[in-house]
Amino acid sequence: MVGGHFSLAENIQAATKIVEETLERLGANRVAVSSSDIVATIIEPIASTHFIEHVTAKDLFDCDLGITSAQWAIAETGTLVLESDKENSRLTSLVPTVHLCILKAGRIRQTLGEILELTQPELSRTMTFSTGAPRTSDIELTLAIGVHGPKELHVIVINDQ
């Protein structure tokens, strides 16, 4: 993960606490959430934030943060892999200013090749590969972060081993 924030949680309760602390620190009030079961479990006890499920594309631009899970991660590059057929998350991970991703440690593989092998039998229509906040140097060769997506990426890995 390039330029992102990483936290390791021992269990779901610890992940919930990290999410809650992150939302408070960032002052996130309107939070888009994906259709992931693990996201639903983690946000359920958190009452101080307005979570929006099934958010429309238009409303995503008014959200402070988007929370998703990831189906896989690539250790070699720190890349998250989100499959559209497994979770309604593509825009939730790309539009809000901050993306918070929750991932079980058992879903991390070493290389892209391993991920492609695992996903080949049931390839999703769309797979999003995210390796930190988007970067570009298109404008006068000046590095700009978050121009084409979130300015910040936070990843919480739950130790499920």
Side-chain angles (χ1 to χ4, degrees):
M1 175 173 54
V2 178
H5 305 273
F6 171 79
S7 299
L8 180 62
E10 286 302 314
N11 52 41
I12 294 286
Q13 294 78 17
T16 299
K17 184 171 175 53
I18 294 167
V19 169
E20 198 166 25
E21 290 168 353
T22 302
L23 296 174
E24 188 176 310
R25 187 176 63 253
L26 296 174
N29 293 315
R30 290 180 49 87
V31 178
V33 295
S34 72
S35 60
S36 163
D37 290 341
I38 194 165
V39 170
T41 300
I42 286 173
I43 67 167
E44 192 218 341
I46 303 172
S48 62
T49 302
H50 183 63
F51 294 107
I52 306 165
E53 297 179 48
H54 313 293
V55 64
T56 65
K58 180 181 177 263
D59 289 337
L60 275 169
F61 288 95
D62 293 327
C63 290
D64 305 310
L65 188 137
I67 302 177
T68 72
S69 67
Q71 285 62 56
W72 302 101
I74 304 168
E76 189 173 67
T77 57
T79 302
L80 300 171
V81 182
L82 291 82
E83 296 181 74
S84 63
D85 290 350
K86 307 284 193 267
E87 172 183 354
N88 178 13
S89 64
R90 182 168 167 76
L91 289 178
T92 304
S93 71
L94 296 173
V95 176
T97 307
V98 178
H99 175 208
L100 189 152
C101 183
I102 301 161
L103 172 73
K104 290 188 175 184
R107 306 300 287 180
I108 300 171
R109 297 295 184 269
Q110 186 63 35
T111 66
L112 174 61
E114 290 176 66
I115 299 299
L116 294 176
E117 246 180 65
L118 289 166
T119 58
Q120 191 65 26
E122 296 178 26
L123 196 59
S124 288
R125 293 176 318 214
T126 305
M127 292 176 72
T128 302
F129 293 82
S130 177
T131 310
R135 300 163 179 272
T136 185
S137 293
D138 293 353
I139 304 164
E140 296 184 16
L141 300 176
T142 302
L143 178 63
I145 297 173
V147 174
H148 306 294
K151 291 180 180 6
E152 285 185 42
L153 173 62
H154 295 259
V155 177
I156 300 169
V157 174
I158 300 171
N159 187 2
D160 65 339
Q161 302 295 324

